[in-house]
Amino acid sequence: MTATPPLRLIRVALCCAVAMLAICLGPDLHAQSVAVMVNGEPITNYDIEQRSKLMALSTHKSPSRQQVIDELINEKVKIREGKKFGIDPSVADIDGSFAGMGSRMRMSAEQLTKSLEGQGIRPETLKQRMRAEMVWTSLVRGRFKDSLLVGEKEVRAALGGDDKSSGESFEYQMRPIVLIVPRNAAPSARELRMKEAEALRSRVQSCAEADDLFKSMQNAAIRDTVTKTSADIPGVLREVLDKTPIGHLTAPEVTKQGVEMVALCSRKPTTADTPKKREIRDKMFADKFEAKSKSYLRDVRKAAMIEYR
């Protein structure tokens, strides 16, 4: 008959097995261990390590462990609060935002992914941050939109009560035009199209003429009318438009599509914000949003169940 091993020996064997498993797994076991629980959701040491790398990459500074944990806690409570109000971006929404960031950095989504992985950062780490910010921006704007509005009196007060000091505002109606040049074309091809564009400028005296001319021309296109106010247009372009006679074309410019110009169809005064007023209004809105966001987040964090392990 085989004797049943004493309970003490079984315990010793189990302890040895656990110790050996920890030695084999090493850093992986530590990385997957839970550091903080937020409303029943875990933040692991791996999450903290990943976010530390992302924060260091974006700020060029090494954050403290507590700074990283605080950011991750904030994201957990933001996403949870958003779900309470039906705000939950889809995977397609997040992927679109990720691709948009890559585009602004002149990268494809695949190139941005490879760039992050080259720094030891999983793309999901950045996407999680994006998700939280998308949720929180929609939530704060939606719940507190009335208190975030910047009234005309507030803008005037910031201007010292003198509207004239902000300058004039105009409404521009424009027709973008492009003389198409293939991207792999020789530099001489672009030079020829630039000369052609300069010659065409002297022929066009109205937007109707521009429409007839460029619609019938091969390898050229004229877009639909675009309406913008002074506050919507960069300062450099405003200067160009203000110097361009109505019905005429702006000076040609080489772009990725080819050679581009703008036909100025009209320019008339408007009561819309001047660039200076828009700048003030945007700054005041941003300040209100920041203050409301901080106070709201404080309240949400206070109500959250946060347990450090």
Side-chain angles (χ1 to χ4, degrees), residues 75 222 253 277:
E75 288 180 7
I222 180 166
E253 179 183 359
K277 289 177 73 174

Side-chain angles (χ1 to χ4, degrees), residues 110-299:
E110 292 75 17
Q111 288 171 326
L112 178 55
T113 294
K114 288 181 179 178
S115 176
L116 289 170
E117 289 175 343
Q119 302 291 326
I121 303 168
R122 296 168 67 243
E124 286 73 15
T125 300
L126 175 56
K127 289 180 180 181
Q128 183 67 7
R129 174 190 269 180
M130 287 179 164
R131 175 184 289 278
E133 288 312 306
M134 288 171 69
V135 166
W136 195 245
T137 298
S138 297
L139 191 57
V140 175
R141 283 176 178 268
R143 293 203 66 196
F144 307 105
K145 59 183 178 182
D146 291 340
S147 63
L148 296 176
L149 291 175
V150 179
E152 194 65 25
K153 287 184 179 179
E154 294 176 271
V155 176
R156 285 179 181 173
L159 284 168
D162 183 9
D163 279 358
K164 292 181 180 179
S165 65
S166 68
E168 291 184 280
S169 181
F170 294 94
E171 180 186 88
Y172 304 89
Q173 289 191 336
M174 303 162 282
R175 300 286 302 274
I177 296 161
V178 58
L179 304 183
I180 300 167
V181 180
R183 292 193 179 185
N184 59 352
S188 58
R190 295 183 184 277
E191 291 175 10
L192 285 173
R193 296 239 80 176
M194 280 291 286
K195 290 179 180 178
E196 184 182 1
E198 288 289 1
L200 291 168
R201 287 183 72 202
S202 62
R203 290 175 53 187
V204 174
Q205 303 293 315
S206 69
C207 279
E209 288 182 9
D211 188 64
D212 291 339
L213 177 63
F214 292 103
K215 277 187 175 178
S216 62
M217 185 180 295
Q218 288 187 340
N219 297 320
I222 180 166
R223 314 296 187 196
D224 292 336
T225 301
V226 175
T227 302
K228 298 284 187 181
T229 67
S230 298
D232 301 323
I233 300 173
V236 174
L237 180 56
R238 279 201 312 272
E239 290 181 16
V240 171
L241 292 174
D242 289 341
K243 293 176 182 177
T244 301
I246 304 299
H248 288 245
L249 307 181
T250 60
E253 179 183 359
V254 175
T255 66
K256 290 181 179 180
Q257 277 67 44
V259 176
E260 296 193 38
M261 299 175 285
V262 171
L264 180 61
C265 301
S266 74
R267 177 180 55 238
K268 54 188 179 183
T270 177
T271 57
D273 279 352
T274 62
K276 182 63 177 177
K277 289 177 73 174
R278 174 69 63 82
E279 180 186 345
I280 291 172
R281 194 183 300 277
D282 288 348
K283 175 65 167 58
M284 295 178 78
F285 177 88
D287 290 343
K288 287 186 176 187
F289 182 92
E290 183 69 14
K292 182 60 69 175
S293 175
K294 285 182 177 179
S295 65
Y296 188 19
L297 182 58
R298 279 197 301 270
D299 293 340

